[in-house]
Amino acid sequence: MTTVSDVRVADERPNSVLGKVSLILSAFGDDDFSLGLAELTSRTGIAKATVHRLCQELVATDFLERDGCNYRLGVRLYAMGLRSPHQRTLREAARPVIENLAQSLDNAVILAIPHDSELLCVESLGTHRNRARSTSGGRRLQLHSTAAGKLTLALLPEQYPLARILPLTVRCTPHTLGPAQLPGELRRIREQGHAVEVEEKRLGYLAVAVPVRGTGDAYLGALSVIAPTAGSRISRLLPALTRASSIITARLARYESLLAPL
């Protein structure tokens, strides 16, 4: 597969540190979860020792992360990406809706989006004993044991192939679904249009997730609520989530119409 970096290497081999760093980061394609040192050297055309040194510095500054012997793009790049107009528009459209939903349900509400081969939380608001809480974006969500993760696995099977996900599943609680159960669960999620997990991630808590859609019904992410198992009813949480997701989609459409060129 030819990447952007392949084309650039053919045209130029930058001597500056910034240029070399740019080539290393650009070497990661859409289908690359992680890359080894040899592959990065081949794709960038930079000396192996230099690639290794720069990768170490990029890991130290969170632009890259270690994945065994390989490297993957780091969460700091993602956090910077949130400042781009597209991601900023999604957060601006979702934020007031999430605030209202968290307040009305008196539970934590999370918006998570697919990012390469991970699911990342971009907004998290909640209430506990009537005190509002907010956490910054960038936190990774497990794919197999969270409602948002299972929804994403079900609706984006090409981006998240089970052959790669199943070997990584870890039992978080006695209720966490195993590799034999997960495929059937994803089929049910696709049929129902929402995902539920009951104490699969953490004992004493359940979660419900629905998709947030964009232009052309594209899946943008998962809107989920996390609530104590005792006293919570999925029949109450699901309609509220579905309404909130529809409002976010409508707000996004209005934003995009305002931003569209005349």
Side-chain angles (χ1 to χ4, degrees):
M1 178 184 67
T2 302
T3 66
V4 172
S5 61
D6 292 328
V7 176
R8 291 187 61 185
V9 167
D11 295 335
E12 57 182 23
R13 294 181 186 274
N15 292 320
S16 69
V17 173
L18 179 60
K20 292 174 181 177
V21 166
S22 177
L23 282 182
I24 291 172
L25 297 179
S26 299
F28 291 84
D30 292 339
D31 300 324
D32 297 319
F33 180 70
S34 65
L35 294 175
L37 184 60
E39 183 64 23
L40 285 170
T41 300
S42 173
R43 293 189 182 187
T44 60
I46 303 171
K48 185 175 182 179
T50 302
V51 172
H52 181 264
R53 175 177 58 81
L54 291 176
C55 283
Q56 294 299 100
E57 294 181 10
L58 289 169
V59 168
T61 52
D62 293 329
F63 285 106
L64 289 181
E65 297 175 351
R66 294 302 300 264
D67 180 33
C69 296
N70 291 352
Y71 299 93
R72 62 184 182 185
L73 296 176
V75 71
R76 190 170 183 182
L77 283 173
Y78 163 74
M80 293 174 67
L82 287 179
R83 300 169 195 156
S84 70
H86 175 73
Q87 297 298 352
R88 192 163 61 242
T89 298
L90 174 59
R91 296 186 76 193
E92 288 175 356
R95 177 81 183 201
V97 182
I98 292 175
E99 288 178 345
N100 290 336
L101 184 62
Q103 198 69 252
S104 65
L105 295 178
D106 196 29
N107 286 303
V109 178
I110 288 175
L111 176 63
I113 65 170
H115 176 67
D116 292 335
S117 297
E118 299 179 316
L119 186 66
L120 295 176
C121 171
V122 297
E123 201 66 76
S124 177
L125 290 168
T127 57
H128 178 64
R129 299 184 186 277
N130 297 322
R131 183 178 63 192
R133 296 183 298 170
S134 175
T135 60
S136 58
R139 180 164 60 92
R140 297 176 183 81
L141 301 183
Q142 288 187 317
L143 291 167
H144 70 290
S145 63
T146 64
K150 291 192 297 182
L151 182 70
T152 303
L153 285 178
L155 299 183
L156 297 180
E158 294 183 358
Q159 185 170 342
Y160 298 88
L162 276 182
R164 187 177 64 207
I165 301 300
L166 289 179
L168 303 177
T169 58
V170 177
R171 188 172 289 274
C172 304
T173 76
H175 305 288
T176 306
L177 299 184
Q181 301 165 296
L182 196 55
E185 172 76 351
L186 299 184
R187 284 194 296 271
R188 283 190 291 274
I189 290 171
R190 280 190 287 269
E191 293 171 359
Q192 297 170 351
H194 68 272
V196 175
E197 65 93 353
V198 180
E199 300 189 346
E200 294 176 41
K201 173 61 179 173
R202 182 181 175 188
L203 292 176
Y205 289 87
L206 61 78
V208 186
V210 299
V212 174
R213 302 285 186 178
T215 304
D217 207 36
Y219 177 74
L220 299 181
L223 183 68
S224 63
V225 59
I226 302 170
T229 306
S232 297
R233 300 194 312 274
I234 294 174
S235 60
R236 172 177 175 256
L237 301 176
L238 181 57
L241 270 176
T242 302
R243 286 193 297 271
S245 175
S246 298
I247 294 171
I248 292 172
T249 297
R251 286 173 59 86
L252 275 172
R254 288 198 296 271
Y255 280 177
E256 290 175 355
S257 66
L258 292 174
L259 295 172
L262 298 177

